[in-house]
Amino acid sequence: MASPLKLEQDVRGKVDSFRARIAQEAEDLVSTFFPQKLSELDSRVQELRLQDLSRIRSVPAPEPPAAPDTAGDGPNRDPPPPQTQPSVKVPALPGGEGQLLRSNQHLVELIARVKPEIELLREKCNTVRMWVQLLIPKVEDGNNFGVSIQEDTVDQLWTVESTAASYLRRFSTYYNTRAKLVSKIVKYPQVEDYRRTVAEVDENEYLSVRQILLHVRNQYATLHDVILKNIEKIKTPRSTNTDNLY
């Protein structure tokens, strides 16, 4: 039979100190920080109204052709010259030739406010996940219902972290997509569809960022609820009282 590993006293003390610090921090997060962030983010979500879509557009659309001048209509009026296509005034992009074509500042500011919330959720979930993992007892036969609850909680926390990481990656995808479209507008300023596509991309990103903030808020609510409901099994996965077995 292999002898158990022996740790030096100072090493064991450092490990125990780390476990105690993580436990205290995680319990404070679940009981206090999560509900506080839930309330804070709920207020911020309400500020992002869906009717604000029109004001986030930053690329001007071509102006419609002017109505024909009907002044002086009469039997002696000369007929207008034939036109194959009505002229359309093409507005210039903000910035001008040779200058920086700026991003949509409404979305830049919004993303800058939401990204720290995503990173904060990942960090706090990592702390709580580590706490639960350190509470998982050694493998034994039977009496593992509490352990399964611990493992399910760890899986749920890991899923939240992974989803949050995917949100952070999607912002660069938005900027890259938009940059390609704007470069098309620079090359083909008379094509209205490119301008409308940029507007659609911006509106979709606004809705997506709002949905991300909703998801972050909901995760705080869900994790707070699930962990509190199962806190006894999470902290004490195996009962030492065998009287209930008979």
Side-chain angles (χ1 to χ4, degrees):
M1 181 177 178
S3 59
L5 292 175
K6 295 183 179 180
L7 298 179
E8 296 182 1
Q9 190 66 28
D10 61 333
V11 174
R12 183 182 296 275
K14 291 179 181 179
V15 173
D16 291 341
S17 177
F18 173 77
R19 293 169 64 100
R21 178 173 61 82
I22 290 294
Q24 182 62 51
E25 184 177 349
E27 291 183 18
D28 289 343
L29 288 174
V30 174
S31 62
T32 304
F33 182 81
F34 282 7
Q36 287 178 349
K37 291 300 294 184
L38 165 63
S39 177
E40 175 189 334
L41 294 178
D42 187 58
S43 298
R44 293 179 62 177
V45 166
Q46 303 306 321
E47 296 173 359
L48 299 178
R49 298 183 296 273
L50 295 179
Q51 58 265 32
D52 289 346
L53 292 178
S54 59
R55 73 179 182 85
I56 69 171
R57 297 176 181 172
S58 62
V59 175
E63 298 179 5
D69 184 11
T70 58
D73 284 350
N76 298 325
R77 184 175 183 270
D78 295 333
Q83 291 184 350
T84 58
Q85 184 176 358
S87 60
V88 177
K89 183 179 179 181
V90 179
L93 290 175
E97 184 178 358
Q99 299 181 12
L100 175 67
L101 294 176
R102 302 190 62 83
S103 305
N104 188 318
Q105 294 305 302
H106 293 291
L107 284 169
V108 169
E109 294 171 3
L110 178 60
I111 291 173
R113 295 199 305 268
V114 172
K115 280 182 67 176
E117 297 296 345
I118 301 173
E119 295 167 352
L120 185 63
L121 175 64
R122 289 181 64 194
E123 178 184 346
K124 301 308 181 184
C125 284
N126 182 274
T127 299
V128 177
R129 179 167 58 87
M130 176 58 63
W131 168 58
V132 178
Q133 285 180 314
L134 291 174
L135 290 174
I136 296 177
K138 66 180 181 180
V139 178
E140 292 182 357
D141 292 333
N143 196 19
N144 287 320
F145 178 70
V147 177
S148 67
I149 293 178
Q150 290 178 320
E151 293 173 343
D152 289 343
T153 304
V154 169
D155 290 341
Q156 185 172 357
L157 288 162
W158 175 250
T159 300
V160 173
E161 291 182 60
S162 301
T163 304
S166 68
Y167 290 152
L168 293 173
R169 290 192 296 268
R170 74 176 308 281
F171 294 136
S172 60
T173 302
Y174 157 70
Y175 286 127
N176 186 53
T177 301
R178 192 178 190 278
K180 292 179 179 179
L181 287 169
V182 171
S183 65
K184 290 287 188 180
I185 296 176
V186 173
K187 188 174 182 180
Y188 306 106
Q190 73 280 6
V191 180
E192 182 180 4
D193 286 342
Y194 286 136
R195 296 173 182 266
R196 294 192 181 278
T197 304
V198 170
E200 291 292 335
V201 168
D202 287 344
E203 290 180 6
N204 289 336
E205 184 66 13
Y206 179 88
L207 294 174
S208 296
V209 174
R210 185 179 186 274
Q211 194 65 32
I212 289 173
L213 200 59
L214 277 169
H215 177 82
V216 173
R217 180 203 65 181
N218 294 345
Q219 288 303 326
Y220 280 120
T222 302
L223 293 173
H224 171 75
D225 182 67
V226 169
I227 293 176
L228 284 188
K229 285 179 179 177
N230 298 283
I231 190 65
E232 293 184 3
K233 287 295 184 182
I234 289 175
K235 297 183 71 172
T236 310
R238 291 194 178 118
S239 175
T240 57
N241 184 7
T242 58
D243 294 340
N244 294 331
L245 298 178
Y246 302 96

